[in-house]
Amino acid sequence: MKIFLRTFLLAALPALVAAQIAAQGSHASSGNLPAEAEEIRALANEARAQAGVGPLVWDQSLAAAALRHCLRMAEEGPISHQYSGEPDLSARTAGAGAHFSVVEENVATGPSGSAIHEEWMHSPGHRANLLSPEVDRVGIAVVAARGVLYAVADYSRAVEQMSTTQVEARVAALVRAGGVAILRDPSLARAACATDEGMPRASGGEMPRFVMRWQDADLSQLPEALADRLASGNFRQAAVGSCAAQISGGSFTAYRVAVLLY
């Protein structure tokens, strides 16, 4: 946990949030964390180890989003995942700079960090979030107000932030490993990527014999249908193009790709 705030003055929230987020940067780099916050993080990773899932890595963007929401909870009194006029969880975390394919949140009040952890572990929904093998990042905020601690933990499955050319290079490496040469000009593949069907016709050029379009947050492997085509040995060249993903709301991170086989 790299975000922690203890305050009893909840007026002027925007300025307070900005000041606290700036202050937490030094905590994040130094690892010098207040006891309650570090306790929640450590207990979560201990529980995950016992459950056989990997540890949660700190994410400063998630922590910034958690801090804003935690301050709002302390201002409102009754806890909630969303208040009137507040963006939802995915919009809050994306707006803070996080990139993810999965995002979850736990909120609570309690007298101590350990009590909050135990509360989450004894609530089926909160326990499932905390122990989920689908998440690998966390940002936590703790605010002391009204005689208790308010806590927010935002969990996500992180997605690497890549440019169009980086996405194309990643996919091209997988295609090349299938024994197919990569064409240098990605323009036709990029045009194909931006459409849902059909194929833009290149002037005077050879038309591809197979077109594969998909989008995913994970670019570690090719779609099965494409891998099968490459394994057939019937293709000698490929063009790879990337374009903007088609995601409703735009909060989740994914990459859209087209591969043309010749």
Side-chain angles (χ1 to χ4, degrees), residues 21-237:
I21 289 173
Q24 298 314 316
S26 60
H27 286 303
S29 60
S30 68
N32 183 23
L33 306 178
E36 294 91 339
E38 175 58 29
E39 184 176 34
I40 292 174
R41 184 183 69 162
L43 288 170
N45 278 336
E46 286 177 10
R48 287 176 66 87
Q50 292 172 3
V53 293
L56 297 168
V57 176
W58 181 252
D59 188 295
Q60 184 65 21
S61 296
L62 291 179
L67 176 58
R68 288 186 174 92
H69 185 63
C70 199
L71 283 165
R72 181 69 182 269
M73 289 201 314
E75 180 188 36
E76 297 283 348
I79 64 175
S80 174
H81 289 288
Q82 185 178 12
Y83 297 100
S84 177
E86 183 184 35
D88 66 15
L89 172 61
S90 64
R92 291 198 307 267
T93 48
H99 294 270
F100 50 84
S101 58
V102 174
V103 65
E104 303 168 343
E105 182 175 74
N106 283 355
V107 298
T109 61
S112 66
S114 60
I116 288 168
H117 172 76
E118 287 302 315
E119 181 180 337
W120 286 340
M121 289 295 289
H122 287 88
S123 166
H126 293 90
R127 180 187 177 92
N129 287 345
L130 194 154
L131 298 181
S132 172
E134 297 302 314
V135 299
D136 56 13
R137 298 291 189 275
V138 68
I140 305 172
V142 179
V143 173
R146 306 173 188 269
V148 296
L149 295 179
Y150 287 77
V152 176
D154 288 342
Y155 312 94
S156 79
R157 163 71 66 176
V159 175
E160 183 181 358
Q161 188 176 6
M162 292 186 286
S163 67
T164 296
T165 54
Q166 288 173 325
V167 171
E168 291 170 351
R170 179 74 57 84
V171 174
L174 296 173
V175 173
R176 191 180 294 110
V180 175
I182 303 299
L183 298 174
R184 290 187 176 183
D185 184 2
S187 57
L188 192 62
R190 289 177 179 177
C193 179
T195 63
D196 291 326
E197 58 185 17
M199 183 61 213
R201 182 173 293 277
S203 57
E206 179 186 359
M207 290 296 292
R209 295 160 52 207
F210 179 77
V211 179
M212 181 77 192
R213 300 175 181 87
W214 79 97
Q215 66 182 40
D216 203 332
D218 181 6
L219 298 180
S220 64
Q221 59 185 8
L222 298 173
E224 184 176 356
L226 178 56
D228 289 344
R229 294 281 179 154
L230 292 172
S232 72
N234 294 327
F235 302 93
R236 55 186 175 78
Q237 292 181 315

